[in-house]
Amino acid sequence: MTRLAAFLALLAMILLAGAASAHEIRPAYLDLRETTADTFSVAWKVPSTGDMRFALHVRLPASCATQTEPTPSMEADAYFERWTAVCAGGLKGGTIGIDGLASTMTDVLVRIEYATGDAEVKRLLPDSPSFVAAGTQTGLEVAGTYFLLGVDHILSGLDHLLFVLALMLLIRDRWMLLKTITAFTIAHSITLAGAALGYFSLPQAPVEATIALSIAFVASELVKSRPGERRLSEAYPWVVAFAFGLLHGFGFAGALKEIGLPQSDVPLSLLTFNLGVEAGQLTFVAGALVLWKPVQALAALPTERLRLFGAYAIGTAAMVWLVPRLAALVA
């Protein structure tokens, strides 16, 4: 019993800690556009919570001089600064960095558009907070950047992963699980593409609240499941996954909108971001399947009891998310 109590305490701490920080790790975004020779329009977006913003600051090459003073503004949940800089000889070969990034858990996407029509996209991380501008970039390099962003987004989005985990606990048949995960993938790919390309949209706050509700719904179905009985969610789980997958796609699209799409490579960056999301999701599914037996041995529980405890833990985490997300709707 002691081992069971320790296991459940650990599981609760992991889920509740993740619930408190879901979707809090958001990228900062630096956009540099060459309007005339050696003159760049700079837009700097930093994630914020209320009046609090990350202490991140742009460091342009020494050859750059500020032509107009930065104009600050608060828009939604981000702090913006916009200014114009003149960089003698251009940005190619110059070092661009973000001061303060090394002490955070976020990352920064940098996009440069040159007057020649060339562009480059770089992702800066706490352990690599600067880069040397190359002046151009291949489509494959842009694709790689957005693929890794997609992988990181799904693996850091605990709410999306818990929805998938709840489906895995609910569905016993592996073939049905494959069809259900495929339905979820198709659905969120549809809304991700449509919303990212501007064909349709939903306000992000109600989307996030509904995502939390979708997790709570599947967890409740798992609690109500009985041997020998097939509820609608068990008989047709792919329908449930598809319906809620459409909503989760809007969540992914919100993250992609936060990051920004390079206008010269929209189809490529959108495709590779989505492929990254799918790769991260499949990695999670494979890891969960591999770890099932060791976790069951650690908890010292029969399969059905472990499923039940998992359902309660996932449902609790979903409700912890739901309360602040509902509060955001009326704020």
Side-chain angles (χ1 to χ4, degrees):
M1 191 66 181
T2 302
R3 185 165 60 166
L4 173 59
F7 170 76
L8 293 177
L10 176 62
L11 180 63
M13 286 190 293
I14 292 173
L15 291 179
L16 293 178
S21 61
H23 286 299
E24 285 302 310
I25 301 176
R26 294 169 289 153
Y29 179 59
L30 175 62
D31 185 86
L32 298 148
R33 301 187 184 190
E34 189 174 21
T35 53
T36 58
D38 300 344
T39 301
F40 292 84
S41 173
V42 184
W44 172 230
K45 182 176 72 171
V46 184
S48 65
T49 302
D51 295 330
M52 301 289 291
R53 52 156 290 192
F54 290 174
L56 302 176
H57 304 280
V58 177
R59 176 167 37 85
L60 295 178
S63 61
C64 296
T66 300
Q67 186 178 63
T68 61
E69 289 301 314
T71 302
S73 63
M74 292 294 296
E75 300 176 21
D77 55 357
Y79 171 83
F80 281 82
E81 283 185 351
R82 295 178 175 87
W83 71 94
T84 302
V86 177
C87 302
L91 285 176
K92 183 178 180 179
T95 299
I96 299 170
I98 305 297
D99 292 331
L101 184 60
S103 59
T104 70
M105 293 178 61
T106 190
D107 54 4
V108 177
L109 191 72
V110 181
R111 187 174 71 193
I112 308 173
E113 291 186 10
Y114 298 96
T116 59
D118 292 325
E120 62 181 306
V121 178
K122 287 290 184 180
R123 183 180 178 219
L124 302 183
L125 302 169
D127 59 354
S128 55
S130 65
F131 75 103
V132 176
T136 187
Q137 195 173 40
T138 66
L140 186 60
E141 290 172 316
V142 173
T145 298
Y146 277 86
F147 179 84
L148 292 177
L149 281 169
V151 172
D152 277 3
H153 176 69
I154 183 65
L155 293 181
S156 64
L158 188 58
D159 48 2
H160 299 293
L161 294 181
L162 282 191
F163 180 80
V164 173
L165 180 59
L167 289 175
M168 294 177 68
L169 293 175
L170 180 67
I171 302 166
R172 272 67 164 177
D173 182 78
R174 293 293 176 87
W175 174 240
M176 180 60 77
L177 176 62
L178 177 61
K179 290 194 291 185
T180 302
I181 296 297
T182 300
F184 180 65
T185 295
I186 292 172
H188 70 61
S189 297
I190 291 171
T191 46
L192 168 60
L197 294 173
Y199 292 120
F200 43 74
S201 65
L202 286 177
Q204 199 65 15
V207 167
E208 295 295 337
T210 309
I211 287 174
L213 279 174
S214 73
I215 301 167
F217 170 79
V218 179
S220 69
E221 290 292 284
L222 184 54
V223 170
K224 297 172 185 175
S225 178
R226 297 291 182 272
E229 297 180 8
R230 295 189 70 191
R231 300 175 62 80
L232 181 64
S233 59
E234 294 175 289
Y236 304 100
W238 61 270
V239 175
V240 174
F242 187 87
F244 285 127
L246 295 173
L247 287 165
H248 283 249
F250 282 110
F252 293 132
L256 191 55
K257 186 177 180 180
E258 287 270 347
I259 296 166
L261 281 169
Q263 296 306 302
S264 58
D265 291 296
V266 169
L268 177 64
S269 53
L270 178 59
L271 172 63
T272 51
F273 178 84
N274 193 51
L275 288 175
V277 168
E278 300 318 319
Q281 181 175 283
L282 290 174
T283 300
F284 172 78
V285 170
L289 291 174
V290 168
L291 291 174
W292 175 256
K293 290 297 183 182
V295 168
Q296 188 173 16
L298 176 63
L301 286 173
T303 298
E304 293 307 316
R305 290 288 300 279
L306 186 57
R307 289 179 188 273
L308 186 61
F309 277 118
Y312 279 115
I314 292 171
T316 300
M319 298 312 294
V320 170
W321 280 316
L322 182 61
V323 172
R325 293 182 186 187
L326 288 177
L329 293 175
V330 298

